[in-house]
Amino acid sequence: MKTSTVVLTVLGSLWILAITVGMFILMRYAHTPSLAKTSGDQWPSHSQITLSKTAPTLIMFAHPHCACTRASIAELGKLVVHCKIKPKSYVLFLSPTSMPSDWEKTDLWHAANSVPGATVLSDINGVEAQKFNSYTSGQTIIYNTKGKLIFSGGITGARGQEGDNLGLNSAILSLQENSSKNQTASVFGCSLISSNSK
Amino acid sequence: MSEVNAPVIEDESLRSRTQSLFIAQQEQAHRNTDKLFAGLMIFQWLAAIITAVWVSPRAWEGTVSTVHIHVWAALIIGGAITVFPVALALLKPGKAITRYVISISQMLMSALLIHLSGGRIETHFHIFGSLALLAFYRDWKVLLTASAVVAIDHAVRGLFWPQSVYGVLTVEPWRWLEHAGWVVFEDFFLIISIKQSLKSTWDISSRQAKLERMNEIIEAKVVERTAELQVEINERKEAEKALARSNIQLTETYVELEQSRDQAIRASRFKSEFLANMSHEIRTPLNAIVGLSDLLVRTTQLTDEQKEFGTIINDSADVLLNLVNDILDYSKIEAGKLELEVTEFDLVELIEGIAELVAQKARSKQLSLVTFIDPTIPRILRGDPGRIRQVLLNLLSNSIKFTDRGEILMRVELISTADDHRVELRFSVSDTGIGLNDSTKEMLFQPFMQVDASATRKYGGTGLGLVISKRLVELMGGNIECESVYGKGSVFGFSAKLEIGPAEQTPVIGPLPDDLRDSRILVIDGPIGTQQILNTYISSWGMRCGHATDIEKASLMIKYESAANDPFDLVFFVLDPSNEEPAEILAALDKDLSPIKPRLVIIGSCADRSFGKQVMERGFAAYLPIPIKQSRLFDCLIGLLGKHIFASDTGENVVPDDQITLPVSQARNLILVVEDNVVNQKVALLQLRELGFPAHAVSNGREALEAVARTEYALILMDCQMPEMDGLQATKAIRKMETKTGKHSLIIAMTANAMSSDRLDCLAAGMDDYMSKPVNQKKLAEVLQRWLPASMQHGSTTSVADTAKVNSTTENAIEIETLFTTYGDKAGKELLESFQADAEHLLQNMASAVKQKDIFTLNDNIHQLKGSSASVYATELAKLSRAFEQAAAGDVYNWELFNEHLHAIEAAFHNTKSISQKALKAKESKIN
């Protein structure tokens, strides 16, 4: 075997390996959920958002600049469309006072506005998120009319990936059954709070 | 090529070439596609980076953000995917490893892009597009490699992260096969396309191989043909070089020929000039000889013998002139410039004149020279008598030269008469000389050839005569020939075609008076030729001719015929020239034929010129010298048979030559002789005087101009070669002067330059005619007759001697001595008489013109008087006339003044006339 062939074979193998490792890392990152805490079982009384008495109340917390949240909003749209019981939906975008005004008014804001029945609100300094114990963009919580938490988690299968996933199915299921059973799912998204705040 | 379903090519080399071309095409496609993907991958890499930066530039934690992992993934993983295949595409284009790596990396790039796009289904089309692009390699293995990567990717990701691949949470384990199946589905069509493309490539390669084969064949043909053409070109170049060399040689030869021609032309010109000069130098003294001998014979009181000698001198000078002409002729013949004249001539005179020229020579050799002219030939013919004479003289001269005894016979016979008024004559000269053998005959007509060198020493001559004769005869349309028997004699003859002259001009010998017809003539003895000629002539005139071989037989015949009442009326005894004792013959005749002595004519060519006198003193009827002339013979017959007195004692003067005389002219017929040679000047003046023309003489053209300005001449005889100003220049100057006056003087060239070009030069200079020297009186008279008006030639000779009175006291009114010195006593006297008459007539006209105030007549007569006065050296009259002419030339006509001029002139004329009368009387008394 020629030296050049050997060199090429070695190089080719290393090349394949490097790419495989890289892709693996990338895949792993994509499928690794963010830090998520379960919201309280009962609707926090000090929330500025009013619990609906006629339909479950769904709140998605979103970071206006998180690329992964695009998929979450898209999945929210599917959820709203496909569920027979339409929840009262809110999308709360983090709006730090330290950032320029309208910092939260990104394309995601506009995408959320296009979700049927969804109310898009600015969450000043993430106060509401903290009330619901939500720290990851894309985290979605659903309370029934009685103020009981029936779902908490992400509605995408991986970072920024649309499509059938366990979180979305759980959310739909919890809405359809209007159960009181608390469902949870991994959340894939950016953190709503900085590391220093954690 | 196993992948290609192409027709089998049986030709191994063609198949091999097709395969080579196919592989080359494939390699080229691989290289091109490698380049395509190299660019594409770099583009994809950049697109991935841009997409990542655009879609997910940063990852956030609250208000804090970092670069998103996707950006790093696009940069690093995308770079890893791109760099290696691009490097291979650049470093190893066309290699299989390159395209396989490219196919793998392209699929990996699809995976990366799909991931970066969040697994969007649209991004999956990148895979199908990439497969289509990979099909550009026209290598199904590349597609399979790429498809394998897709399958593995799906299998692995389906196994670990199915949602990232299939978008669902739960999938069957073999779900990847479905995706792989779609890829294979596309691969199927792409591979079909690849197969077709490969087949097309194979076909193209095959065609190209065939085309190359054809090209090779054609190129081989071209090379072969080129080689052939090269050979042809080389041959052509060689031929061109040879042609160029030939051209150079031809050019050199041409130049040499031109030089040779120029040399030949120069040599010919030098030769012609030499001949012309030589001719001129010889002709000048010859002119004096011819002219003076002619004058000697004609104008002086000489005995017959002296006249004969003078005539011989004259004729010999002519012969010498002919010799000069021979040389000139030969030169002209060689140059092809000889031209024959066509003029009327008397054949009898010509032939007998020729015989006369050589008669003396023949007599000196005791040869019998006889001429015979066929009586049926018209006497007046048109042709070139000079050339005929030249040929015959040459032949006669040769015959006399090469004959020691016997007879020379010159005959002219009629060959034929053509419808175009031409006759063909045969001229012959026969002799009884040494003859020629066959070998020497061939040399006869070669230039400068004689029979042998000893002949030249013995007989002289240049050897040119026969050559010239031959050429001349050929020019006359005939041929010269020679018949000869060695030791017995020769006959040279030639034929010539000549025009017949006007019949009315033909002199006629005969007819005989009727009473003389049938007269009987007896010819005794003599050479056969002479007898035959006498017989022919006599018979042609209607007489009867008998012949006796000797005196004894003749005596018997005379007695017998007398007894028969048919006596011989006249007896010719032909004395053999070779007989050394002619006196004894006369004595024998005296004794044996005494009764018929008064009718016995002796014909002989005895060299002793007193022999004729002896004959007459012995009481014979007449003596006819040989050669016998027709006219002499006829006159002799008429004279003796007709009982006329036969006055001549020699017979040679039986028919005297015509004297050419012209009436005495008047002074206005003054002729100017321009001649530098004193002798020739004198000859011309004497000839003119004899012809009755007064003349002035000057020595060159300059003097001629002065004379012409001073005096009006009727005619100018102009020599050409003269010192100071030659005749041509003088003529031109005179013609220039005449452009102002409107007059035209007759100028006749009289030169020793005998070349035809000289004649043209003379005419070109403005001369009216041309005479070559020597000029005899006859020739001069002919020219004067031709050019001068008849009135001048037959002018009045009325005397005016007693019409004038001498009333002038001026003694030098006329330079009488100068007049006589210039013209001589006789001509001067005649001129003076003529002048007196003329002047008187002019004065009468002038008086009439003054009376009638006719200025034109007056001017005309004054002018004439001025000219004629000057010509006779009447200086006073000339001076007054000139003054009168000037006075009359003005714009204002003062008739009283004119009258005074007229009276002065009349007085001067009377004075001049008086002096002239005295002078004339003095001259007459001196002459008497």
Side-chain angles (χ1 to χ4, degrees):
Chain A
M1 188 176 285
K2 290 181 180 178
T3 307
S4 58
T5 308
V6 174
V7 170
L8 279 176
T9 305
V10 171
L11 284 175
S13 301
L14 289 174
W15 175 65
I16 292 289
L17 181 63
I19 292 170
T20 304
V21 169
M23 291 297 285
F24 177 77
I25 292 169
L26 192 60
M27 294 302 293
R28 187 180 172 195
Y29 166 75
H31 289 87
T32 301
S34 302
L35 177 61
K37 292 180 180 178
T38 305
S39 301
D41 288 338
Q42 291 299 318
W43 182 269
S45 57
H46 55 281
S47 174
Q48 294 295 317
I49 300 169
T50 304
L51 177 71
S52 175
K53 301 299 181 184
T54 57
T57 301
L58 183 151
I59 304 171
M60 177 182 280
F61 295 96
H63 193 290
H65 293 280
C66 175
C68 309
T69 305
R70 189 183 310 282
S72 298
I73 293 172
E75 292 303 314
L76 176 62
K78 293 178 187 173
L79 185 149
V80 172
V81 170
H82 288 101
C83 286
K84 292 180 180 177
I85 300 169
K86 308 296 181 187
K88 176 61 179 176
S89 301
Y90 295 95
V91 180
L92 272 65
F93 282 91
L94 176 66
S95 177
T97 52
S98 59
M99 302 305 284
S101 61
D102 292 340
W103 179 77
E104 70 278 14
K105 303 291 177 58
T106 63
D107 57 332
L108 293 176
W109 175 283
H110 299 300
N113 268 329
S114 64
V115 175
T119 302
V120 182
L121 299 171
S122 295
D123 182 13
I124 305 300
N125 291 327
V127 172
E128 289 298 324
Q130 290 174 12
K131 288 177 183 175
F132 286 96
N133 204 25
S134 295
Y135 301 102
T136 302
S137 179
Q139 183 167 357
T140 304
I141 54 175
I142 303 172
Y143 288 87
N144 60 17
T145 54
K146 296 176 179 178
K148 183 176 175 52
L149 181 67
I150 56 175
F151 176 77
S152 176
I155 55 174
T156 59
R159 288 181 184 272
Q161 292 207 346
E162 297 177 28
D164 193 15
N165 62 83
L166 189 59
L168 180 63
N169 290 341
S170 296
I172 292 170
L173 186 64
S174 62
L175 285 172
Q176 285 176 341
E177 291 176 353
N178 198 15
S179 64
S180 58
K181 187 179 178 181
N182 185 9
Q183 300 285 339
T184 61
S186 299
V187 183
F188 300 92
C190 295
S191 176
L192 293 174
I193 57 172
S194 53
S195 301
N196 297 336
S197 304
K198 292 176 185 177
Chain B
M1 199 75 192
S2 58
E3 297 119 334
V4 181
N5 184 21
V8 177
I9 300 172
E10 292 181 356
D11 188 319
E12 178 59 31
S13 62
L14 191 61
R15 186 170 63 246
S16 174
R17 179 58 187 156
T18 302
Q19 193 158 346
S20 299
L21 289 169
F22 178 81
I23 291 170
Q25 292 242 12
Q26 281 292 87
E27 284 183 358
Q28 189 60 43
H30 295 159
R31 287 167 183 270
N32 292 339
T33 312
D34 285 345
K35 288 180 183 176
L36 171 68
F37 272 102
L40 178 64
M41 297 200 76
I42 291 170
F43 171 75
Q44 289 173 157
W45 183 23
L46 294 174
I49 294 168
I50 292 167
T51 303
V53 169
W54 179 262
V55 175
S56 51
R58 304 189 73 78
W60 290 83
E61 286 185 357
T63 58
V64 179
S65 66
T66 58
V67 175
H68 199 285
I69 192 172
H70 282 183
V71 174
W72 294 116
L75 191 64
I76 297 169
I77 299 173
I81 292 170
T82 301
V83 169
F84 187 53
V86 168
L88 286 175
L90 295 175
L91 297 174
K92 290 185 175 297
K95 297 293 183 185
I97 185 69
T98 303
R99 57 182 177 270
Y100 294 145
V101 169
I102 285 174
S103 66
I104 292 168
S105 65
Q106 185 64 16
M107 292 302 106
L108 292 174
M109 183 61 79
S110 295
L112 179 63
L113 289 174
I114 289 169
H115 182 82
L116 293 179
S117 66
R120 293 168 66 87
I121 192 69
E122 292 87 349
T123 315
H124 284 71
F125 289 109
H126 184 269
I127 293 172
F128 298 106
S130 295
L131 286 171
L133 285 175
L134 288 170
F136 284 10
Y137 280 115
R138 292 183 290 194
D139 183 356
W140 59 272
K141 292 188 287 291
V142 170
L143 292 179
L144 290 184
T145 302
S147 300
V149 171
V150 171
I152 292 168
D153 176 68
H154 279 65
V156 172
R157 289 209 283 183
L159 186 62
F160 297 103
W161 305 286
Q163 191 182 3
S164 68
V165 182
Y166 309 119
V168 293
L169 290 173
T170 56
V171 292
E172 295 81 6
W174 305 106
R175 180 71 177 272
W176 65 273
L177 284 174
E178 181 186 349
H179 283 244
W182 285 112
V183 171
V184 170
F185 177 73
E186 184 182 3
D187 286 346
F188 174 75
F189 296 106
L190 290 174
I191 287 169
I192 289 173
S193 171
I194 286 169
K195 286 281 185 185
Q196 290 175 343
S197 176
L198 288 173
K199 185 175 181 302
S200 297
T201 305
W202 178 263
D203 291 342
I204 290 167
S205 300
S206 175
R207 283 198 295 272
Q208 187 172 348
K210 289 176 183 174
L211 196 62
E212 284 180 354
R213 171 71 62 83
M214 191 62 70
N215 283 342
E216 285 172 2
I217 293 169
I218 291 169
E219 283 177 6
K221 286 281 183 189
V222 168
V223 169
E224 183 184 354
R225 184 62 188 141
T226 303
E228 291 173 1
L229 284 173
Q230 190 62 46
V231 171
E232 288 178 11
I233 289 167
N234 291 339
E235 288 175 353
R236 185 175 295 175
K237 283 181 179 176
E238 287 298 321
E240 286 173 353
K241 286 178 183 174
L243 189 62
R245 285 196 295 274
S246 298
N247 277 340
I248 292 169
Q249 288 175 349
L250 278 174
T251 305
E252 290 172 353
T253 306
Y254 179 71
V255 170
E256 288 172 3
L257 282 173
E258 276 192 329
Q259 290 172 346
S260 301
R261 184 200 61 192
D262 292 343
Q263 287 175 352
I265 289 170
R266 281 198 297 274
S268 175
R269 191 171 65 244
F270 292 152
K271 180 181 160 190
S272 298
E273 287 173 359
F274 169 75
L275 288 171
N277 289 336
M278 189 190 74
S279 167
H280 179 268
E281 294 305 320
I282 295 172
R283 279 167 187 272
T284 300
L286 267 180
N287 185 54
I289 296 170
V290 171
L292 289 173
S293 60
D294 189 42
L295 287 168
L296 183 71
V297 172
R298 293 177 188 280
T299 63
T300 59
Q301 297 296 322
L302 299 175
T303 64
D304 291 341
E305 194 171 40
Q306 287 171 328
K307 281 188 178 180
E308 184 180 0
F309 291 161
T311 303
I312 290 168
I313 291 170
N314 191 265
D315 291 345
S316 298
D318 273 338
V319 172
L320 183 55
L321 181 64
N322 286 331
L323 283 175
V324 175
N325 287 338
D326 268 2
I327 297 169
L328 280 177
D329 285 346
Y330 182 70
S331 172
K332 287 178 184 174
I333 288 169
E334 287 296 301
K337 292 179 178 175
L338 186 80
E339 293 172 0
L340 293 178
E341 288 184 7
V342 178
T343 184
E344 287 173 12
F345 66 96
D346 187 324
L347 180 66
V348 174
E349 277 187 11
L350 173 70
I351 298 301
E352 292 180 347
I354 293 167
E356 281 291 336
L357 285 175
V358 296
Q360 182 60 32
K361 196 183 291 183
R363 275 196 291 269
S364 67
K365 292 187 74 174
Q366 295 182 322
L367 298 173
S368 175
L369 175 61
V370 186
T371 63
F372 171 71
I373 302 160
D374 188 338
T376 60
I377 299 173
R379 279 187 64 171
I380 302 300
L381 299 171
R382 284 174 59 80
D384 193 336
R387 299 304 176 188
I388 296 172
R389 181 192 293 114
Q390 187 176 350
V391 176
L392 287 172
L393 274 176
N394 179 257
L395 298 179
L396 282 171
S397 176
N398 285 343
S399 289
I400 293 169
K401 206 185 289 181
F402 296 104
T403 304
D404 292 330
R405 65 177 61 191
E407 183 183 42
I408 294 171
L409 175 59
M410 177 166 59
R411 301 173 68 92
V412 185
E413 293 160 305
L414 181 66
I415 297 175
S416 63
T417 303
D419 293 336
D420 58 351
H421 216 57
R422 293 165 72 92
V423 288
E424 186 176 8
L425 304 181
R426 176 181 164 76
F427 299 83
S428 63
V429 175
S430 58
D431 63 53
T432 52
I434 59 175
L436 299 163
N437 57 34
D438 291 341
S439 61
T440 53
K441 279 183 197 172
E442 297 175 359
M443 300 163 59
L444 280 177
F445 299 104
Q446 301 295 322
F448 308 106
M449 296 294 286
Q450 289 196 329
V451 173
D452 55 47
S454 61
T456 306
R457 290 193 295 275
K458 184 176 178 181
Y459 300 110
T462 61
L464 277 178
L466 283 177
V467 178
I468 294 171
S469 298
K470 181 173 185 291
R471 303 283 176 86
L472 290 174
V473 168
E474 287 169 353
L475 279 173
M476 286 186 278
N479 287 305
I480 194 166
E481 55 196 26
C482 168
E483 293 175 8
S484 183
V485 178
Y486 187 71
K488 291 190 175 179
S490 306
V491 179
F492 285 82
F494 67 92
S495 57
K497 291 177 181 173
L498 301 166
E499 290 179 37
I500 300 170
E504 63 272 16
Q505 292 184 18
T506 303
V508 178
I509 297 177
L512 282 170
D514 292 341
D515 58 333
L516 296 184
R517 290 185 182 275
D518 290 331
S519 297
R520 293 201 71 191
I521 311 296
L522 178 64
V523 179
I524 306 171
D525 209 351
I528 295 172
T530 309
Q531 289 179 19
Q532 287 176 342
I533 287 163
L534 284 171
N535 189 20
T536 305
Y537 282 155
I538 290 167
S539 299
S540 71
W541 291 326
M543 300 179 189
R544 292 172 294 161
C545 187
H547 177 246
T549 55
D550 53 42
I551 296 171
E552 192 176 340
K553 287 181 182 173
S555 176
L556 288 173
M557 286 175 70
I558 289 166
K559 288 176 183 174
Y560 179 80
E561 296 298 337
S562 295
N565 283 328
D566 190 12
F568 290 103
D569 299 301
L570 207 57
V571 178
F572 287 96
F573 180 82
V574 183
L575 187 60
D576 192 337
S578 60
N579 194 312
E580 296 179 353
E581 297 294 340
E584 291 181 4
I585 297 294
L586 288 181
L589 288 171
D590 203 359
K591 177 184 172 189
D592 297 339
L593 300 176
S594 178
I596 61 160
K597 267 175 63 181
R599 288 180 287 136
L600 181 57
V601 178
I602 307 299
I603 298 174
S605 59
C606 188
D608 184 359
R609 296 194 62 80
S610 63
F611 184 71
K613 192 176 284 183
Q614 291 178 36
V615 171
M616 298 308 292
E617 286 172 355
R618 281 182 177 270
F620 291 101
Y623 172 69
L624 282 179
I626 289 176
I628 302 167
K629 290 184 176 181
Q630 265 192 51
S631 54
R632 284 178 184 168
L633 178 64
F634 183 81
D635 288 344
C636 179
L637 288 168
I638 293 292
L640 294 176
L641 295 174
K643 312 302 180 187
H644 298 291
I645 298 171
F646 199 57
S648 173
D649 58 348
T650 64
E652 291 169 316
N653 292 325
V654 166
V655 184
D657 291 337
D658 294 334
Q659 292 293 332
I660 300 167
T661 56
L662 287 171
V664 176
S665 68
Q666 297 178 3
R668 66 170 179 273
N669 297 341
L670 191 62
I671 290 173
L672 179 65
V673 176
V674 188
E675 168 68 63
D676 62 321
N677 185 284
V678 177
V679 175
N680 284 343
Q681 199 180 81
K682 187 69 180 171
V683 168
L685 289 172
L686 287 169
Q687 286 173 332
L688 287 167
R689 191 188 72 184
E690 288 303 315
L691 292 172
F693 285 87
H696 290 165
V698 292
S699 299
N700 58 53
R702 184 82 55 203
E703 292 176 6
L705 285 181
E706 293 168 1
V708 169
R710 189 173 61 239
T711 308
E712 187 175 355
Y713 293 97
L715 189 141
I716 301 167
L717 296 173
M718 182 76 79
D719 187 19
C720 284
Q721 291 188 343
M722 290 180 293
E724 268 194 73
M725 178 184 280
D726 65 26
L728 300 178
Q729 291 175 319
T731 302
K732 289 175 184 172
I734 290 169
R735 293 300 180 225
K736 193 173 180 183
M737 287 164 55
E738 288 173 348
T739 58
K740 297 173 184 172
T741 62
K743 294 178 179 174
H744 182 86
S745 302
L746 291 170
I747 303 176
I748 311 296
M750 189 173 65
T751 176
N753 295 330
M755 306 294 276
S756 60
S757 59
D758 297 323
R759 178 186 182 90
L760 294 175
D761 290 342
C762 292
L763 296 178
M767 296 189 189
D768 297 290
D769 204 350
Y770 171 95
M771 281 191 294
S772 66
K773 290 178 182 176
V775 177
N776 59 29
Q777 194 161 323
K778 182 180 178 184
K779 192 191 287 185
L780 181 60
E782 286 172 355
V783 169
L784 295 177
Q785 278 180 322
R786 188 185 311 149
W787 286 102
L788 292 179
S791 60
M792 288 189 181
Q793 297 166 22
H794 302 282
S796 169
T797 55
T798 306
S799 172
V800 292
D802 54 354
T803 58
K805 292 181 180 178
V806 179
N807 56 4
S808 175
T809 56
T810 307
E811 292 297 327
N812 58 351
I814 181 167
E815 297 173 11
I816 203 77
E817 286 305 319
T818 308
L819 173 71
F820 286 116
T821 304
T822 303
Y823 299 114
D825 290 348
K826 187 179 178 184
K829 176 174 174 289
E830 291 168 356
L831 191 61
L832 200 54
E833 289 172 351
S834 177
F835 163 72
Q836 288 172 357
D838 240 5
E840 192 162 2
H841 178 66
L842 291 170
L843 282 169
Q844 288 173 358
N845 289 343
M846 287 161 64
S848 175
V850 169
K851 192 175 181 181
Q852 296 175 7
K853 296 185 178 179
D854 180 356
I855 190 67
F856 297 107
T857 306
L858 180 62
N859 272 332
D860 186 43
N861 284 277
I862 294 171
H863 185 75
Q864 290 188 44
L865 181 62
K866 183 189 73 174
S868 58
S869 302
S871 65
V872 295
Y873 300 100
T875 50
E876 186 186 7
L877 200 53
K879 185 178 175 182
L880 291 171
S881 299
R882 188 157 48 245
F884 194 178
E885 187 177 35
Q886 288 173 352
D891 294 332
V892 180
Y893 304 139
N894 188 338
W895 292 103
E896 288 185 7
L897 180 63
F898 293 169
N899 209 24
E900 290 175 10
H901 275 289
L902 180 60
H903 289 318
I905 286 175
E906 284 174 343
F909 171 68
H910 291 307
N911 186 27
T912 302
K913 188 176 177 182
S914 173
I915 296 169
S916 302
Q917 295 285 13
K918 289 178 185 174
L920 287 173
K921 284 178 182 174
K923 285 285 174 191
E924 281 174 359
S925 61
K926 192 177 177 181
I927 293 169
N928 294 332

